[in-house]
Amino acid sequence: MVQLFKNLYDYRELLKTNVKKEIRGKYKGAWLGVFWSLLNPILLLVVYSIIFPYILRIQIPNYTMYLCVALLPWTCFTSTIQQGTYAVVVNGNIIKKVYFPREILPISVVTSGVVNFLITSLVMFGFLIFGGLGLTPYALLFPIILLLQFIIMIGITFILSAVTVYVRDLEHLVGLGLMVLFYGTPIVYTMDSIPAKLAWILNLNPMTHIITAYRDILYYQQMPNWINLGILALVGVALFIVGYYIFKRLERNFAEEF
Amino acid sequence: MKDKHDKTIAITVRRVNKDFKLFYDKANTLKEKLLFWNRSKNDILHILKDINLDIYKGETVALIGVNGSGKSTLLKLMTKIIYPNSGYLKTYGKLTSLLELGAGFHPDFSGRENIYFNASIFGLTKGDIDKRIDKIIEFSELEEFIDNPVRTYSSGMYLRLAFSVAINVDADILLIDEILAVGDQHFQEKCYKRLEELKKDGKTIVIVTHALDVVKSFCNRAIWISEGVVKMDGDPKKVVGAYLNDCR
């Protein structure tokens, strides 16, 4: 574990160039460039805030805002996990030829996902301010929740990116899983609308608590549930450590799989 | 009094075995695995068998042998790109490898950006690279083209850029795999001159090569690997002589 932080420090320049490449390379050649990372979630938001209140008749006050504070972090989660799954596989060529700490690859994908989200969250805060809800001091808790999300995403990406090298089917499975998970997280609906018998399933999903916490501080403007967040922090750190060891175990044969 | 064998060790190889699985028409999907389950028995190729080596700091070692003898595999094990099936291998000090041309070059980025990217793979920080960038560009003789995308480079230019980065990383151990042959006479001589300098600075250099003249003139130790075992190890002239006799 100490080795991880030493490697990250020694190879910080690689991490930095990788994150930059990830962000800039994603929209290379597109006219609107990085603006796409703003436009994508906004367009999605527009579509959903028409479909759910007007067509599916979900009755929640200020639904667009309700959706916004959950949908943007969720978009960050899905796109990061999806890209993170490929993180090692797409770099097979380099892995075969040079040594560098392989964990840089998943970490830089997750980091760039979070940087991307920070850009979109500017739009989110803009919406909140001009959309009538405003910001309260609770919004200062935003970085803490984001940090939790970051740790959880790295843990998951460690595992997925390493296993995908050996089981390529995982890429497709992850896409499917994320779609299911979207409806298994209270993003477009409220937690109350779930039958009590099924609520425990949702509570097993770490993203439920992340999304709820974002919503607490930004939409309901109240203290998040610290007990839940504390448990989540423990789970997140455990996931991170377990993920790291799985990655380290599997990385030894990476070069022979390409 | 310090004699040669009193020096500090740079690379230790102990009882290293490396196997490769040989797949005949690798059955990769579930359908193929179910249909051809009886065919999926793969043979195992013992590429390295029980290798023991000590390479000392400041040595210039050539690995020689016929194609497929396992010398490149040994070099890859030293870089930690692959790991042995049994035994262990340790390197002491900062290590740079030049196994294939422009590993980690991004074709759409300029030569200058690729220097930063490539050097960062070797573990340099931005400050380190800033200090070296002029030296690297000068050595590569690519001043005119340094801001053009690398995909427009010829293979010789590619080699020059890759080699210039690797050689200016200031590693303690430099591992080079049969790539110098691409450069022209002028650049090859320049590279060997630079390698000579590194040798004088006490750097450890391990090269895999078929250029036996180079082995004799440049290296102070040659290791002949044949069918996965060390067949001979010692003075380059003697080892090359024995190797040539065997090849005939």
Side-chain angles (χ1 to χ4, degrees), chain B residues 76-180:
Chain B
K76 274 191 179 171
L77 285 165
M78 289 176 182
T79 60
K80 288 196 283 181
I81 291 174
I82 55 176
Y83 292 81
N85 291 76
S86 68
Y88 77 91
L89 202 145
K90 257 196 141 95
T91 56
Y92 303 89
K94 197 173 166 60
L95 186 147
T96 311
S97 63
L98 208 52
L99 299 192
E100 249 168 282
L101 277 182
F105 274 8
H106 199 297
D108 285 330
F109 286 71
S110 74
R112 190 185 300 273
E113 285 171 301
N114 270 303
I115 291 177
Y116 276 90
F117 192 60
N118 204 222
S120 68
I121 290 185
F122 293 132
L124 263 61
T125 61
K126 186 160 189 305
D128 294 336
I129 306 169
D130 284 337
K131 263 184 269 163
R132 291 174 174 81
I133 185 108
D134 291 332
K135 229 165 90 188
I136 294 173
I137 296 173
E138 195 200 312
F139 192 87
S140 69
E141 299 172 15
L142 288 168
E143 286 93 344
E144 285 170 69
F145 310 101
I146 201 67
D147 290 309
N148 295 10
V150 169
R151 69 183 136 81
T152 62
Y153 285 19
S154 68
S155 54
M157 288 158 79
Y158 224 79
L159 164 85
R160 266 145 63 189
L161 192 65
F163 196 83
S164 307
V165 176
I167 216 156
N168 283 301
V169 170
D170 284 342
D172 306 310
I173 305 171
L174 192 62
L175 307 175
I176 307 171
D177 191 0
E178 193 66 79
I179 50 156
L180 278 174

Side-chain angles (χ1 to χ4, degrees), chain A residues 19-115:
Chain A
V19 170
K20 255 192 250 166
K21 215 179 66 178
E22 206 76 53
I23 293 172
R24 245 194 288 153
K26 199 169 156 192
Y27 300 110
K28 211 174 163 69
W31 284 4
L32 291 177
V34 183
F35 278 105
W36 277 112
S37 47
L38 298 179
L39 273 174
N40 266 335
I42 292 173
L43 290 178
L44 202 62
L45 188 64
V46 169
V47 172
Y48 283 173
S49 55
I50 292 170
I51 292 179
F52 289 102
Y54 296 108
I55 300 176
L56 295 174
R57 310 232 172 251
I58 287 184
Q59 300 292 330
I60 296 170
N62 215 341
Y63 186 72
T64 310
M65 285 299 115
Y66 180 85
L67 197 59
C68 177
V69 298
L71 191 62
L72 296 188
W74 175 261
T75 319
C76 163
F77 179 76
T78 38
S79 59
T80 303
I81 298 297
Q82 196 113 55
Q83 275 177 46
T85 307
Y86 304 101
V88 175
V89 175
V90 293
N91 287 297
N93 253 332
I94 307 180
I95 286 175
K96 258 194 322 193
K97 293 175 191 165
V98 221
Y99 169 80
F100 58 91
R102 312 304 193 203
E103 58 268 29
I104 296 276
L105 296 171
I107 292 176
S108 52
V109 170
V110 177
T111 310
S112 68
V114 167
V115 172

